[in-house]
Amino acid sequence: MGEIKVEFEVKGFGEEKCDGYDDAIKSFEMLRTKTLPKSTTLEQLETIVSELFNEFKKSYNHPPCQLGAKVIIRAKEKNDQVIYLG
């Protein structure tokens, strides 16, 4: 059936105390890639994102005030067919 390379980008932003400043925000991000079958469902992608959120929270020093993810599947067209990159 074929495989696709999927990129998962997770970003978190959190407030922090910083001497000499009224407000301070620190951001962290991580990028992971995974080769998955074309039959992968949205529910399966959500499970992977949830696992990455949990991993991110464990490595972050304090609770992020905002946490988000981007899921990327890269493709191009060749001879009227979709070709997945990666």
Side-chain angles (χ1 to χ4, degrees):
M1 176 171 251
E3 295 181 330
I4 55 176
K5 182 173 132 181
V6 182
E7 299 173 9
F8 298 90
E9 182 180 311
V10 178
K11 290 185 179 184
F13 303 88
E15 293 182 27
E16 68 173 0
K17 300 281 187 205
C18 191
D19 290 338
Y21 294 91
D22 297 330
D23 295 308
I25 294 179
K26 187 180 250 183
S27 68
F28 292 95
E29 65 182 294
M30 67 181 180
L31 176 66
R32 301 280 172 84
T33 60
K34 191 171 192 132
T35 301
L36 300 169
K38 282 186 181 181
S39 61
T40 301
T41 66
L42 179 57
E43 185 175 2
Q44 291 168 316
L45 292 175
E46 287 175 351
T47 299
I48 294 168
V49 169
S50 180
E51 291 168 357
L52 291 172
F53 280 166
N54 287 332
E55 178 185 340
F56 192 93
K57 289 176 192 175
K58 288 178 184 176
S59 64
Y60 200 69
N61 291 339
H62 50 284
C65 57
Q66 184 177 2
L67 190 58
K70 186 188 307 183
V71 179
I72 303 164
I73 301 171
R74 300 192 188 277
K76 67 178 182 177
E77 181 195 35
K78 185 175 182 180
N79 299 327
D80 294 328
Q81 291 186 334
V82 176
I83 306 296
Y84 294 97
L85 305 178

